[in-house]
């Protein structure tokens, strides 16, 4: 698909980085105590965000139409 929405991709990458930092945050010397299904929210959320911007919202901040 060559007409991907760049805004959705940028927001999905930001979402992935922020959620990863939140999920791996733990006190020093301790491991993060999260169930395994929580880490599946990272790619699922990215797919939902890009799909919303590709098919529903269709607004692209980076590619302006002439």
């Amino acid at each position: 698909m060559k007409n991907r929405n760049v805004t959705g991709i940028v927001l999905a990458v930001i979402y992935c980085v922020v959620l990863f930092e939140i999920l791996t945050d733990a006190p020093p010397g301790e491991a993060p105590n999260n169930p395994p299904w929580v880490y599946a929210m990272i790619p699922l959320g990215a797919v939902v965000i890009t799909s919303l911007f590709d098919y529903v919202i269709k607004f692209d901040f980076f590619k302006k139409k002439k």
Side-chain angles (χ1 to χ4, degrees):
M1 182 181 223
K2 60 181 175 178
N3 293 331
R4 296 296 307 252
N5 195 317
V6 179
T7 304
I9 294 172
V10 169
L11 286 178
V13 169
I14 292 171
Y15 166 81
C16 290
V17 170
V18 169
L19 189 61
F20 179 76
E21 289 296 322
I22 290 171
L23 290 177
T24 57
D25 187 34
E30 294 183 19
N33 190 13
N34 296 324
W37 61 268
V38 173
Y39 296 102
M41 289 174 32
I42 296 173
L44 291 176
V47 168
V48 168
I49 290 171
T50 54
S51 298
L52 276 174
F53 273 90
D54 282 342
Y55 301 113
V56 178
I57 298 173
K58 296 182 182 177
F59 174 75
D60 199 348
F61 184 73
F62 296 102
K63 290 183 185 177
K64 299 286 185 182
K65 292 186 179 179
K66 296 175 183 163

